[in-house]
Amino acid sequence: MYQFNFAPVFANFDHLLQGAWVTVQLSFGAMLLGLVVAVLCAAGKTAGPAPLRWLIDAYVELIRNTPFLIQIFFIYFALPVFGLRMTPNVAALVALVVNVGAYATEIIRAGIESIAKGQVEAGFALGLKRHQIFRYIIMKPALRTVYPALTSQFIFLMLTSSVVSAISANDLAAAGNDIQSRTFAAFEVYLVITAMYLLLSLGFSALFSLIQRLAFNYPLSR
Amino acid sequence: MIRPFGPNEVLFILTAIQWTLALSAIAFAGGAVGGLLTALARVSANRILSGLALGFIRVFQGTPLLMQLFLVFFGLNIFGYGVNPWVAASLALTLHASAFLGEIWRGCIQAVPQGQSEAAHALGLSYFDRMKSIVLPQAARIAVAPTVGFLVQLIKGTSLASIIGFVELTRAGQIVNNATFDPFKVFGLVALLYFVLCWPLSILAGRMERRFAAASQR
């Protein structure tokens, strides 16, 4: 009968917390930068010239149809061939930004396209100023539409980020690999780490839906 | 010794596609069975059953696939079933797919109007007949597009099996890269192959979704 041994896990718990902090930082950093990429790409896709649209389409489709592990291998191992050398943590951030940027582009584009043209025209007819139309007629409903999709994309990003341990960035999963290789308590280590990921994703989901209720709980006229 | 990236290396990577496809097929088949059971448990009137299904879905959707692979891989080992990457990868991906398909299909089952099931009940059909002849066939039509979409996610997910030593497309690429030190060509080729597998499915899923949206608007 197997004897469970959680002692080495809890002896190294500060190491795990450090890894979890890196995971949270990586996820938030990648989400924020990824949103910048996504807003630019979505704007380019809805209003840009045809060649730019094709380029953005190629980026989005390429990223969405290849595994994240290959993307990070490419960025970490292949880019140095062209003199672009990065530390594991920077490569991890870059890979996550490139990845989430593609998914968020589609979300933001759908949000922009969800605003009916007549709404904007009605705003002009009512004599609203351009910045008022942008704020009240475009941004508020669009933000409300895309918010749930973006928050679940964030959770998905945080879970995906565990893969950066494969290039030895020092995130939560990597802390697990580290402790596992020193203590051989593999199952116990990954059990605790999986529980930590679960707490993180449940916690952030709860936080995001609280924010949603506080910030977007107004009637939408249709 | 560094080998050049030649035809043999390309062939090695190409033949590894079959293991990516085999693993995807196993996970999808297992996930279809597990997903159907999960979805049915989730919509059942039995509180305990639906609670268990919800917990299963939450845990597998709220934790990284990589950790699920590790837990199954090392878990099988401590319970004395050896460390066989085939078994571990198949089992972990099947559980993963069961949870995701379970949640997708729950939505599809609940999208079938309640009255359909009630009418079947009033006609005296048993639970089994109600599900088999009335609810599931209608839910299946709604489910096709998101299921194909998930298949793309599953194929991409099999790449993580490389980390526990399962030799599929990604691991084959790593092996060749370690021998040739030509990461640009190697991972470029591997990425291209995944793209060739996944892109047609993505297009198909998108088309079916649009067609369904147009059909249900009428």
Side-chain angles (χ1 to χ4, degrees):
Chain A
M1 188 61 207
Y2 183 82
Q3 290 291 315
F4 283 98
N5 180 14
F6 284 97
V9 182
F10 293 106
N12 293 292
F13 203 69
D14 54 335
H15 192 23
L16 291 184
L17 286 178
Q18 232 162 34
W21 177 229
V22 172
T23 286
V24 170
Q25 282 177 307
L26 264 181
S27 308
F28 271 100
M31 192 71 201
L32 291 178
L33 293 173
L35 277 177
V36 174
V37 172
V39 168
L40 291 177
C41 286
K45 247 190 105 164
T46 43
L52 182 66
R53 288 206 306 268
W54 296 332
L55 210 64
I56 295 168
D57 272 337
Y59 158 64
V60 170
E61 292 303 317
L62 192 66
I63 295 301
R64 298 211 306 176
N65 289 294
T66 52
F68 177 66
L69 186 58
I70 295 298
Q71 292 160 18
I72 200 167
F73 278 164
F74 199 86
I75 285 170
Y76 188 61
F77 294 116
L79 289 189
V81 176
F82 306 102
L84 258 171
R85 200 169 294 279
M86 287 174 266
T87 63
N89 277 9
V90 174
L93 181 67
V94 171
L96 286 168
V97 169
V98 168
N99 185 271
V100 77
Y103 286 93
T105 295
E106 286 301 292
I107 297 174
I108 305 271
R109 189 187 53 80
I112 295 174
E113 284 174 359
S114 72
I115 307 296
K117 229 177 158 184
Q119 297 268 334
V120 178
E121 285 163 5
F124 275 120
L126 286 171
L128 292 182
K129 293 192 175 65
R130 286 187 80 88
H131 70 91
Q132 287 174 317
I133 288 176
F134 180 73
R135 189 169 157 195
Y136 296 108
I137 296 182
I138 299 178
M139 276 319 273
K140 269 187 120 173
L143 207 59
R144 178 154 112 162
T145 309
V146 299
Y147 181 84
L150 282 181
T151 55
S152 41
Q153 194 62 51
F154 174 83
I155 304 291
F156 193 67
L157 164 72
M158 193 166 67
L159 301 178
T160 307
S161 79
S162 65
V163 175
V164 305
S165 60
I167 58 160
S168 52
N170 57 356
D171 73 319
L172 179 53
N177 297 346
D178 203 32
I179 299 171
Q180 186 262 127
S181 63
R182 280 190 281 120
T183 64
F184 302 107
F187 187 72
E188 293 87 336
V189 170
Y190 290 120
L191 198 62
V192 171
I193 291 203
T194 306
M196 289 171 78
Y197 273 111
L198 186 62
L199 279 179
L200 282 176
S201 52
L202 291 180
F204 278 117
S205 297
L207 179 68
F208 291 142
S209 58
L210 182 72
I211 292 174
Q212 182 175 20
R213 249 190 304 159
L214 294 178
F216 301 113
N217 196 16
Y218 49 82
L220 194 64
S221 53
R222 273 198 187 252
Chain B
M1 198 191 81
I2 299 179
R3 288 204 311 248
F5 184 62
N8 281 336
E9 283 68 28
V10 173
L11 198 66
F12 180 68
I13 291 177
L14 281 175
T15 48
I17 292 181
Q18 61 184 315
W19 304 120
T20 289
L21 288 177
L23 192 56
S24 304
I26 291 173
F28 186 69
V33 176
L36 184 61
L37 293 177
T38 308
L40 289 176
R42 194 68 188 87
V43 298
S44 90
N46 187 327
R47 281 266 185 83
I48 299 170
L49 215 54
S50 70
L52 280 176
L54 179 65
F56 173 68
I57 290 169
R58 283 274 186 278
V59 166
F60 277 84
Q61 289 198 333
T63 57
L65 173 59
L66 184 61
M67 295 301 115
Q68 294 160 17
L69 275 161
F70 279 157
L71 276 182
V72 171
F73 184 65
F74 291 112
L76 284 176
N77 189 36
I78 64 169
F79 293 113
Y81 291 100
V83 190
N84 181 341
W86 255 112
V87 177
S90 306
L91 185 59
L93 282 163
T94 293
L95 289 171
H96 183 79
S98 298
F100 277 80
L101 288 176
E103 180 68 356
I104 292 171
W105 292 348
R106 172 200 59 83
C108 298
I109 290 174
Q110 286 180 340
V112 176
Q114 188 87 52
Q116 295 282 325
S117 182
E118 282 164 8
H121 196 82
L123 287 172
L125 266 68
S126 68
Y127 173 82
F128 185 76
D129 285 337
R130 250 174 14 236
M131 277 297 166
K132 192 191 76 154
S133 316
I134 309 290
V135 178
L136 290 183
Q138 298 187 64
R141 277 191 50 214
I142 314 172
V144 179
T147 304
V148 174
F150 175 72
L151 197 52
V152 173
Q153 209 181 313
L154 194 62
I155 293 174
K156 291 189 291 174
T158 60
S159 68
L160 296 187
S162 65
I163 297 180
I164 57 169
F166 183 93
V167 183
E168 37 62 79
L169 195 45
T170 300
R171 187 88 192 94
Q174 279 179 296
I175 292 169
V176 170
N177 182 48
N178 290 343
T180 62
F181 291 103
D182 203 347
F184 184 74
K185 282 184 203 154
V186 173
F187 292 125
L189 176 65
V190 173
L192 183 73
L193 293 175
Y194 274 111
F195 187 75
V196 168
L197 291 181
C198 294
W199 200 43
L201 289 173
S202 291
I203 293 176
L204 188 66
R207 267 205 200 134
M208 286 190 294
E209 208 164 303
R210 272 191 297 279
R211 204 170 57 194
F212 186 79
S216 59
Q217 249 170 16
R218 270 187 270 133

